[in-house]
Amino acid sequence: VQLQESGPGLVKPSGTLSLTCSVSGGSISSPNWWSWVRQPPGKGLEWIGEIHHSGSTSYNPSLKSRVTISVDKTKNQFSLKLNSVTAADTALYYCVRDEDIWGQGTLVTVSS
Amino acid sequence: EILLTQSPATLSLSPGERVTLSCRASQSIGNFLAWYQQKPGQAPRLLFSDASNRATGIPARFSGSGSGTDFTLTISSLEPEDFAVYYCQQRSNRPPYTFGQGTKLEI
């Protein structure tokens, strides 16, 4: 199984960050948890949230009011939307399957 | 929210040495702890799940142990490729699934 993040690398302040994670070599419908983790430049890891193939979700309370994670079974993908972004949301964003499979990460910069 | 505290923040060691990294949880998490290794410019790599369950392809010089609130990652004899940042993450049934702040192993 391989994961690949995609989406805009630059988002304006107050805008919405939208990323997609494409799953290859496996099915998004398999009984796994699909999550997003981010890492600000030079800093540690932060768990954003996750979704189960059943549609059940769990979010970090610090971001819960701004974040949505969804699954598109027809495209074998899952997505992250984070609204009302600020410079503090600038980070490398990773998609992850359970604990063991990580995408390579995609850098998102919030700047005007 | 469960807090994870890793110690020390930085360790300066030499190849061949034995090292033990610590991760302490603010409340009991059973054995629901994962360890990761991250090298510059790379995604984290899973080393252990459930505290001591070695992931596929992880060398035997790595070992994980602990339960409850105290966990350790041990490298029995450091290889040059082991110098990296190590993170723990709690995976109890109480999200958010927080990470520790990391321990940097440097030569």
Side-chain angles (χ1 to χ4, degrees):
Chain A
V1 176
Q2 291 186 316
L3 307 180
Q4 178 66 60
E5 304 89 351
S6 60
L10 181 64
V11 181
K12 294 188 186 306
S14 77
T16 297
L17 180 160
S18 296
L19 296 176
T20 296
C21 182
S22 298
V23 180
S24 59
S27 173
I28 195 76
S29 297
S30 59
N32 298 106
W33 286 94
W34 306 92
S35 60
W36 290 93
V37 172
R38 69 181 183 179
Q39 184 171 36
K43 297 187 178 180
L45 301 165
E46 180 181 30
W47 181 81
I48 298 171
E50 64 185 10
I51 187 166
H52 192 254
H53 76 98
S54 63
S56 176
T57 55
S58 181
Y59 299 125
N60 191 322
S62 68
L63 300 169
K64 189 173 183 178
S65 63
R66 301 193 290 131
V67 67
T68 302
I69 297 175
S70 59
V71 163
D72 187 335
K73 295 181 180 180
T74 64
K75 295 183 178 179
N76 216 33
Q77 297 174 337
F78 65 108
S79 299
L80 169 71
K81 289 190 186 299
L82 182 66
N83 56 37
S84 304
V85 296
T86 69
D89 295 308
T90 293
L92 193 55
Y93 284 78
Y94 294 102
C95 57
V96 189
R97 188 199 77 170
D98 292 332
E99 301 154 314
D100 58 341
I101 308 294
W102 291 63
Q104 65 185 27
T106 187
L107 178 64
V108 179
T109 301
V110 178
S111 175
S112 55
Chain B
E1 176 175 320
I2 297 174
L3 299 180
L4 296 180
T5 302
Q6 291 188 243
S7 59
T10 306
L11 268 177
S12 298
L13 296 166
S14 300
E17 290 193 86
R18 178 185 179 91
V19 62
T20 297
L21 310 182
S22 173
C23 177
R24 178 164 291 178
S26 59
Q27 57 187 281
S28 178
I29 57 172
N31 68 336
F32 295 110
L33 188 95
W35 285 99
Y36 301 92
Q37 176 194 67
Q38 187 178 34
K39 297 180 180 179
Q42 296 184 16
R45 173 194 183 194
L46 178 68
L47 298 176
F48 292 92
S49 58
D50 298 333
S52 60
N53 185 19
R54 188 180 291 110
T56 302
I58 303 304
R61 64 180 181 274
F62 289 87
S63 61
S65 64
S67 66
T69 60
D70 292 307
F71 301 85
T72 58
L73 172 67
T74 300
I75 309 173
S76 60
S77 179
L78 282 166
E79 296 287 340
E81 61 266 29
D82 299 337
F83 291 91
V85 180
Y86 292 83
Y87 293 97
C88 56
Q89 182 194 24
Q90 65 88 8
R91 298 280 302 180
S92 69
N93 60 359
R94 287 166 286 185
Y97 299 127
T98 44
F99 290 88
Q101 79 278 21
T103 291
K104 183 178 182 180
L105 276 187
E106 58 181 27
I107 298 179

